Amino acid sequence: MNTSTKHGLAAGDVGRPERPDWTIDQGWEHYTAEDHATWKTLFERQTKLLPGRACDEFVEGMRDLPIGPDQIPDFRRLNEVLMQRNGWQIVAVPGLVPDEVFFEHLANRRFPSGNFIRQPHELDYLEEPDVFHDVFGHVPMLMNPAIADFIQAYGQGGLRAQQLGYLPQLARVYWYTVEFGLLQQGDALRLYGAGIASSFTESQFCLESASPNRIRFELERVMRTHYRIDDFQESYFVIRDLDELLEFTQIDFEPLYQRAAQGTEHQPGDVLADDRVFARGDGSYHLAKRIN
Ligand code: HBI
Ligand code: FE
């Protein structure tokens, strides 16, 4: 299906890449006024929500980057700042890329970002990561040295996990940290995961709703836990601070993978006897959906 429209850039035709690493030009000049307007709508409503919800490191990363309301950021300008900060860069891709390609980029400190932006009728939900999710959600966190090294290690570990047959176990760690992670900040919980930082509805749900569980992050526990890709999470996992992610890069995951893959798997909403629970969810959100 060709989803190109009157808009300059749309998700689509991800079938045959022209370059083996799947990168394309961002094509910044091709964004239309409507594309930039969509960015502005998303940027402004999200920026209002994040004080007090996003962790301080997210806010600082955003502050130091050339990201603002008026235009979709130009990757060339983002890269000047990021490269200088810690050697990361953003590369444009047309949408989801194969796992090996994704890992290879991350292992080399290149973050693949969708170049297209969602359509005005799909502001709150889309299946493939677009430039708003990737740039607004991920790039501020990439300015942080701990996240920067953790995501590189994920790229390196991804290739290895795949060879060992443990990719599902590793992907759960990424999902419950980089995408949907919470952390402790003082007495409160804050979000740092890009999937929630870039979501209008879930950035509120993950911290304020009575529905989800908020559970202390433990590596092996998370490796056993399925996640939802089609709706809000039923459980969020909480790390002590971003430096905890750095500690994970020092651990050999293989024995954990083995134990996790052999033992029981957990459903997204499960709470276990030895979990350290910050908030036990009442499950009301997903329950109501099942009944109705
Ligand atoms: N491709 N562009 C893009 N972005 C992702 O987040 C991504 C991907 N390909 C594979 C993938 N994520 C995950 O399935 C792996 O992390 C396992
Ligand atoms: Fe993402």
Side-chain angles (χ1 to χ4, degrees):
M1 185 181 62
N2 181 3
T3 54
S4 294
T5 61
K6 64 190 164 71
H7 305 282
L9 296 164
D13 280 347
V14 180
R16 213 176 319 116
E18 284 177 15
R19 301 180 195 149
D21 69 356
W22 287 66
T23 60
I24 54 176
D25 289 332
Q26 184 187 9
W28 190 84
E29 300 75 15
H30 298 300
Y31 292 124
T32 63
E34 187 178 329
D35 291 336
H36 290 301
T38 299
W39 171 275
K40 189 181 177 81
T41 303
L42 292 165
F43 181 95
E44 285 181 339
R45 66 177 197 170
Q46 208 58 21
T47 300
K48 276 186 218 141
L49 282 179
L50 292 185
R53 292 194 177 90
C55 65
D56 294 340
E57 292 86 345
F58 183 95
V59 176
E60 287 159 19
M62 188 67 86
R63 185 197 60 203
D64 294 343
L65 283 161
I67 301 181
D70 294 332
Q71 320 184 300
I72 297 171
D74 185 330
F75 294 178
R76 291 165 295 199
R77 296 200 49 219
L78 291 179
N79 286 343
E80 286 170 18
V81 178
L82 251 187
M83 255 298 186
Q84 167 102 302
R85 169 75 60 118
N86 58 27
W88 269 87
Q89 57 181 313
I90 311 304
V91 293
V93 291
L96 285 171
V97 299
D99 292 339
E100 312 83 69
V101 175
F102 188 60
F103 296 142
E104 181 70 22
H105 281 301
L106 300 182
N108 291 286
R109 289 173 100 87
R110 293 187 301 265
F111 195 84
S113 167
N115 72 333
F116 69 96
I117 190 150
R118 65 198 75 180
Q119 298 293 302
H121 65 268
E122 53 185 1
L123 289 192
D124 288 324
Y125 180 73
L126 82 169
E127 280 168 27
E128 292 206 60
D130 73 343
V131 65
F132 186 75
H133 167 78
D134 282 327
V135 169
F136 188 97
H138 284 289
V139 177
M141 291 309 298
L142 274 177
M143 296 281 280
N144 176 269
I147 283 269
D149 286 359
F150 180 66
I151 296 183
Q152 179 180 21
Y154 176 71
Q156 293 162 336
L159 296 167
R160 182 157 171 260
Q162 212 172 26
Q163 284 156 9
L164 296 170
Y166 295 125
L167 191 51
Q169 285 72 25
L170 179 61
R172 291 168 188 159
V173 174
Y174 187 82
W175 189 265
Y176 283 119
T177 55
V178 173
E179 293 292 354
F180 293 94
L182 302 181
L183 55 70
Q184 290 176 262
Q185 203 139 59
D187 293 334
L189 300 184
R190 299 277 190 97
L191 63 89
Y192 71 94
I196 41 187
S198 63
S199 165
F200 182 70
T201 47
E202 195 161 0
S203 56
Q204 302 171 73
F205 177 85
C206 70
L207 291 167
E208 284 132 69
S209 170
S211 190
N213 305 308
R214 301 176 187 89
I215 301 169
R216 175 74 177 103
F217 186 99
E218 300 291 346
L219 266 179
E220 198 182 315
R221 193 300 186 200
V222 165
M223 285 180 185
R224 297 172 188 270
T225 308
H226 290 268
Y227 53 80
R228 305 186 69 108
I229 57 167
D230 58 334
D231 204 341
F232 297 153
Q233 301 305 308
E234 290 179 60
S235 300
Y236 298 91
F237 291 91
V238 181
I239 57 172
R240 181 194 72 228
D241 57 28
L242 293 172
D243 285 343
E244 188 175 358
L245 299 178
L246 223 42
E247 294 165 19
F248 299 155
T249 67
Q250 306 300 311
I251 297 172
D252 179 7
F253 276 19
E254 193 173 355
L256 283 85
Y257 291 151
Q258 284 169 349
R259 287 202 300 271
Q262 279 159 15
T264 337
E265 302 222 310
H266 308 307
Q267 293 313 305
D270 289 351
V271 177
L272 311 178
D274 52 3
D275 280 340
R276 213 184 110 204
V277 179
F278 288 88
R280 166 125 205 178
D282 64 14
S284 51
Y285 171 83
H286 293 91
L287 210 56
K289 284 206 153 184
R290 256 166 240 148
I291 294 163
N292 296 330

